[in-house]
Amino acid sequence: MMTALAHEVIPVTDDKPVSELDEILWQTWKALDLPEGYRAEIIEGAIEVSPTGRRRHTVLINRLRRALDAHLAGTDHAPYQDGNVIFRRKSWIPDIFVAPEDLDEIPDEEDLGVDAAGVPMVIEVVSPGRRNIERDRVRKRREYARAGIAVYVIIDDFDAEGVVLVLTAPNPKKATYEDEHRVPYGADAVIPSGPAKGFAIDDAITRA
């Protein structure tokens, strides 16, 4: 018996045809058997394999996760790591994403992860290296906007002396976020909307 989801999540279905390339990439991604310490994502027409982050990357993610756990305590949302966010034969693994406390509410069609329609916020911590930086600042920014994810946060050690970028108001057709707040390390970057509204990414999180 089907019941209404508490968060009224409408899964992303094939309302328009998936390209042959997307389908090939999807089937290839599903068949991958990666060694421990690596992960694979489908980003803008390519499968990208990357290693797990360096120590600084791990430290920042753990600080964020603990702080978000405290901020979201008593709500029906929680922060997650190392999970697949699925959108139309694309798969992303954000460093952190916020979703319903019961992830069974937002399964993707093949039970490989969660449906992007039920994910209101993602966070990426930028890793060193030109391609890593470009992935989070440019390509994932477009992908998350296409999926309509309401809040995308980029924590970037490599922008000036360190910047937290809070992106909101996604425009899926243009693959852009129409609102952008750029906050230097040392100041509070506050999430303006969604389940994590009021959460501040501050110096306690970004400090070296």
Side-chain angles (χ1 to χ4, degrees):
M1 177 179 177
M2 296 294 292
T3 58
L5 298 180
H7 301 278
E8 297 299 325
V9 171
I10 301 173
V12 176
T13 55
D14 291 337
D15 55 343
K16 58 184 178 180
V18 173
S19 72
E20 183 178 3
L21 173 60
D22 283 342
E23 187 62 36
I24 291 170
L25 289 170
W26 179 251
Q27 297 301 330
T28 302
W29 174 80
K30 289 197 297 180
L32 288 174
D33 184 14
L34 296 176
E36 185 176 352
Y38 287 84
R39 64 184 190 174
E41 301 172 280
I42 305 173
I43 305 172
E44 294 200 325
I47 295 175
E48 297 197 14
V49 177
S50 57
T52 52
R54 299 183 181 186
R55 183 181 64 253
R56 167 69 173 168
H57 190 267
T58 301
V59 165
L60 284 172
I61 292 171
N62 284 340
R63 288 175 184 166
L64 281 162
R65 174 73 181 270
R66 290 195 299 269
L68 272 168
D69 267 328
H71 185 82
L72 294 170
T75 75
D76 55 3
H77 281 72
Y80 298 91
Q81 295 171 247
D82 300 323
N84 296 316
V85 175
I86 308 293
F87 175 76
R88 291 184 53 78
R89 298 298 195 266
K90 306 291 195 304
S91 175
W92 312 305
I93 306 175
D95 289 323
I96 291 181
F97 65 92
V98 171
E101 196 167 42
D102 182 1
L103 289 182
D104 288 339
E105 294 182 359
I106 56 167
D108 71 290
E109 290 181 39
E110 299 188 37
D111 285 330
L112 297 172
V114 298
D115 195 294
V119 175
M121 185 170 85
V122 294
I123 301 175
E124 298 285 4
V125 175
V126 178
S127 295
R130 182 186 61 81
R131 186 163 180 80
N132 293 330
I133 291 170
E134 190 264 349
R135 179 180 62 233
D136 291 339
R137 290 181 184 173
V138 180
R139 288 178 291 120
K140 277 197 167 182
R141 177 172 176 161
R142 290 193 294 251
E143 290 282 60
Y144 292 147
R146 287 186 186 105
I149 293 175
V151 181
Y152 176 28
V153 178
I154 303 172
I155 298 178
D156 194 342
D157 282 353
F158 310 99
D159 184 348
E161 298 301 313
V163 164
V164 178
L165 196 63
V166 180
L167 302 165
T168 56
N171 184 327
K173 289 184 178 179
K174 294 182 178 180
T176 61
Y177 282 91
E178 297 186 344
D179 289 335
E180 173 180 320
H181 295 276
R182 189 173 183 271
V183 181
Y185 283 8
D188 289 0
V190 180
I191 305 304
S193 59
K197 181 178 180 179
F199 176 69
I201 300 171
D202 56 17
D203 189 57
I205 292 172
T206 59
R207 71 184 187 281

